[in-house]
């Protein structure tokens, strides 16, 4: 059974770069022609797709975040990562990694709260 | 960009009630519309894909319908465990995705 798990710092200072990693278990990140994605949810608010990466490395980003987002994949570690630069308090959110499958997301990681604060 | 307008934003209903949530797309998205359930502190769970297909293991009291720009999500008989926030999500312009604003469902 495929499982995803986010990891990374829970506190980031304003203007710095948020970095998170998603570890995939129960399957190989490169064994199938899948995308892998990041979604975030500010406290008490809705869901926002951040971006996706194909196992080969092609990336697609939400236009509203594109200038600050980098998603990468490390097939040797079965992981993919998110970097969001120049963060502000508005970037405080629960960050989820998930696998887009034919248009929907399944499975999801449990999510990790990242707070932007000095 | 495709915008998704979900309504209502919150809803209070009694156990056994029929509950309906709507989602409207800013342009025709065919049937490229999914519905998720999110309980507090948990990741969203896929319930309905392609507008009307029930995900494996999801109770049959959940259903979805619609195509084009107007979509409906229905719980035929509300159960206490259905208390959650529900989101629609479109994927007409893959690999980009948009979610609705969510509907918080509470028990009356």
């Amino acid at each position: 059974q495929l499982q995803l798990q986010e990891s990374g710092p829970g506190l980031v200072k304003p203007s710095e770069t948020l970095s998170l990693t998603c570890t995939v278990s129960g399957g190989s990140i490169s064994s199938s022609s899948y995308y892998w994605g990041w979604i975030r949810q500010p406290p008490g608010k809705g869901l926002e797709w951040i971006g996706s990466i194909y196992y080969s490395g092609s990336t697609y980003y939400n236009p509203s975040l594109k200038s600050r987002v980098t998603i990468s994949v490390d097939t040797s570690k079965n992981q993919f990562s998110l970097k969001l630069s120049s963060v502000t308090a508005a970037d405080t959110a629960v960050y989820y990694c998930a696998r887009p499958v034919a248009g929907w997301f399944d499975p999801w990681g449990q999510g990790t709260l990242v707070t932007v604060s000095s | 960009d495709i915008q998704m307008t979900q309504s209502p934003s919150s809803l209070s209903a009694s156990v056994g009630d029929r509950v309906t949530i709507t989602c409207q797309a800013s342009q025709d998205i065919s049937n490229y519309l999914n519905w998720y359930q999110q309980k507090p502190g948990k990741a969203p769970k896929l319930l309905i894909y392609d507008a009307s297909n029930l995900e494996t293991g999801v109770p049959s009291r959940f259903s979805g319908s619609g195509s084009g720009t107007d979509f409906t999500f229905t719980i035929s008989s509300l159960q206490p465990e259905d208390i959650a926030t529900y989101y629609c999500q479109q994927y007409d312009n893959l690999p980009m995705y948009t979610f609705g604003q969510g509907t918080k469902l509470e028990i009356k």
Side-chain angles (χ1 to χ4, degrees):
Chain A
Q1 180 183 0
L2 194 70
Q3 292 186 314
L4 284 67
Q5 177 69 58
E6 307 88 350
S7 60
L11 181 64
V12 181
K13 290 182 167 57
S15 79
E16 295 189 345
T17 296
L18 177 160
S19 296
L20 295 174
T21 295
C22 182
T23 300
V24 178
S25 59
S28 171
I29 202 168
S30 58
S31 65
S32 302
S33 301
Y34 283 122
Y35 285 87
W36 304 91
W38 289 97
I39 296 156
R40 71 179 182 177
Q41 184 173 38
K45 296 188 178 180
L47 300 160
E48 180 181 36
W49 171 72
I50 299 171
S52 300
I53 187 165
Y54 197 48
Y55 77 101
S56 63
S58 299
T59 52
Y60 302 89
Y61 300 135
N62 187 320
S64 68
L65 298 169
K66 186 175 183 178
S67 64
R68 299 193 292 129
V69 174
T70 302
I71 298 176
S72 59
V73 64
D74 187 337
T75 55
S76 67
K77 295 182 178 179
N78 228 33
Q79 296 176 335
F80 61 104
S81 299
L82 168 69
K83 291 188 185 297
L84 181 65
S85 64
S86 305
V87 296
T88 69
D91 295 310
T92 293
V94 174
Y95 286 77
Y96 295 99
C97 58
R99 184 184 66 175
V101 178
W104 50 88
F105 295 94
D106 183 61
W108 296 60
Q110 65 183 27
T112 186
L113 174 63
V114 179
T115 301
V116 178
S117 175
S118 56
Chain B
D1 291 3
I2 300 173
Q3 305 300 317
M4 306 302 295
T5 303
Q6 194 175 330
S7 62
S9 57
S10 64
L11 176 58
S12 182
S14 300
V15 172
D17 281 356
R18 183 180 183 87
V19 171
T20 298
I21 298 169
T22 63
C23 191
Q24 185 172 58
S26 59
Q27 65 187 64
D28 189 333
I29 59 169
S30 185
N31 68 330
Y32 301 140
L33 191 284
N34 309 311
W35 292 95
Y36 298 84
Q37 175 192 67
Q38 185 180 34
K39 296 186 176 181
K42 299 294 186 181
K45 173 188 174 184
L46 178 70
L47 298 181
I48 304 284
Y49 62 94
D50 289 347
S52 60
N53 293 293
L54 196 66
E55 173 72 339
T56 302
V58 174
S60 59
R61 64 180 180 275
F62 296 100
S63 64
S65 64
S67 65
T69 60
D70 296 304
F71 301 86
T72 300
F73 172 82
T74 300
I75 306 174
S76 60
S77 178
L78 184 65
Q79 300 301 303
E81 59 267 31
D82 300 336
I83 298 312
T85 300
Y86 293 84
Y87 292 93
C88 62
Q89 172 247 312
Q90 69 82 24
Y91 65 98
D92 181 65
N93 53 340
L94 281 176
M96 300 178 65
Y97 310 83
T98 311
F99 291 89
Q101 308 96 311
T103 296
K104 186 175 183 179
L105 178 56
E106 298 174 327
I107 292 285
K108 191 180 294 183

